Amino acid sequence: MHDPARVLREVEAKRRVLDRHALSPATGDPELPWDNRGDCQYDGETWPCDDGTALSGRAA
């Protein structure tokens, strides 16, 4: 059965995850776990990280 409300909830949940995996705006801030502008702000991996790439549907 097609449930548009469920689809919208899933899309919103994936958007929240992608928002956490945004490109880090921080540079050299000792309070943050990353120090490079080209890192994922969630896990410090090179941006775009594997999680963000997988959720966006882009090929790695």
Side-chain angles (χ1 to χ4, degrees), residues 2 14 26 30 41 43 48-49 51-53 55 57 60:
H2 181 65
K14 289 178 181 180
Q41 70 180 2
D43 55 23
C49 67
D51 293 335
T53 302
L55 281 172

Side-chain angles (χ1 to χ4, degrees), residues 16-53:
R16 287 193 304 270
V17 172
L18 286 173
D19 286 346
R20 287 195 300 261
H21 287 272
L23 180 62
S24 173
T27 304
D29 185 340
E31 297 296 316
L32 300 175
W34 56 82
D35 56 11
N36 293 322
R37 187 172 293 274
D39 290 346
C40 171
Q41 70 180 2
Y42 182 73
D43 55 23
E45 293 181 18
T46 301
W47 193 85
C49 67
D50 292 340
D51 293 335
T53 302

